[in-house]
């Protein structure tokens, strides 16, 4: 009986410690500079899409632009949160943010279409769709947990 109780305590302890671990991948990426993030993302794309040197340089520029933009948005969001003005945006603000984000996505897609070959572009589109699907699924999971 004592052994059974000790095993149950050990299992509970292991579950508690693993449940409390922060998302190390997200924290590690947040500490990188935009140049480092762009380099990593470009290298992943080189491996995935088999890019040549000219394509690699062009895509690095796009990734660097996106990484810098993401870093500034994160800084702005953090500043708003610290100042206490982190309330929900109005309907008009949400619409403006969504339009800006979609315009940027369209712009990036057009740039990628110019840089990549048809086969590479199709592969890139498929990977982006898969990533988007994962992000939507992740968001639904989080929202589902908040309601419960």
């Amino acid at each position: 009986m004592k052994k059974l109780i000790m095993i149950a305590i050990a299992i509970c302890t292991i579950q508690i410690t693993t449940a409390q671990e922060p998302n190390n991948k997200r924290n590690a990426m947040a500490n990188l500079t935009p140049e480092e993030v762009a380099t990593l993302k470009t290298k992943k794309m080189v491996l995935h899409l088999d890019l040549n040197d000219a394509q690699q340089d062009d895509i690095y520029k796009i990734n660097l632009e996106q990484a810098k933009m993401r870093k500034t948005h994160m800084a702005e969001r953090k500043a708003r949160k610290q100042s206490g003005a982190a309330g929900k945006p109005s309907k008009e603000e949400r619409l403006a943010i969504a339009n800006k984000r979609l315009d940027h996505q369209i712009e990036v897609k057009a740039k990628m279409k110019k840089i990549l070959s048809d086969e590479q572009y199709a592969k890139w589109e498929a990977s982006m769709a898969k990533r988007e699907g994962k992000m939507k699924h992740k968001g639904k999971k989080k929202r589902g947990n908040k309601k419960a």
Side-chain angles (χ1 to χ4, degrees):
M1 188 69 176
K2 279 186 177 181
K3 288 182 182 179
L4 208 55
I5 292 173
M6 292 302 285
I7 291 172
I9 290 173
I11 290 173
C12 289
T13 305
I14 291 171
Q15 286 180 340
I16 290 171
T17 56
T18 56
Q20 292 179 351
E21 287 180 10
N23 189 349
N24 292 333
K25 185 177 179 183
R26 178 174 283 166
N27 292 338
M29 291 300 280
N31 294 333
L32 297 178
T33 65
E35 290 79 13
E36 293 168 334
V37 171
T39 302
L40 289 175
K41 192 170 181 182
T42 303
K43 285 184 179 185
K44 286 179 184 178
M45 291 178 76
V46 167
L47 291 172
H48 183 68
L49 301 173
D50 193 30
L51 304 174
N52 62 34
D53 291 337
Q55 289 174 323
Q56 188 174 346
D57 291 339
D58 292 338
I59 288 180
Y60 174 78
K61 291 174 187 172
I62 293 171
N63 287 336
L64 181 61
E65 176 189 332
Q66 287 181 320
K68 285 180 179 179
M69 187 182 301
R70 194 175 306 113
K71 200 75 161 176
T72 57
H73 286 304
M74 284 172 50
E76 289 171 2
R77 194 169 39 242
K78 189 174 184 180
R80 273 196 318 263
K81 192 174 185 180
Q82 287 177 349
S83 71
K88 289 193 174 189
S90 68
K91 183 179 178 181
E92 292 81 19
E93 291 171 330
R94 284 194 310 267
L95 180 64
I97 291 169
N99 276 327
K100 186 177 177 182
R101 181 178 44 82
L102 292 171
D103 287 342
H104 180 70
Q105 284 179 345
I106 291 168
E107 180 183 324
V108 168
K109 214 172 194 181
K111 287 179 184 177
M112 288 299 210
K113 195 163 192 151
K114 287 181 184 177
I115 297 169
L116 301 174
S117 68
D118 291 338
E119 183 182 317
Q120 290 171 328
Y121 183 75
K123 199 171 184 180
W124 177 76
E125 280 241 297
S127 68
M128 293 306 287
K130 183 178 178 182
R131 182 173 180 245
E132 189 176 314
K134 282 183 181 179
M135 296 302 276
K136 282 184 179 180
H137 180 69
K138 216 179 218 183
K140 287 180 183 177
K141 263 181 149 176
K142 284 183 182 179
R143 277 187 243 125
N145 288 342
K146 286 182 181 178
K147 289 180 183 177

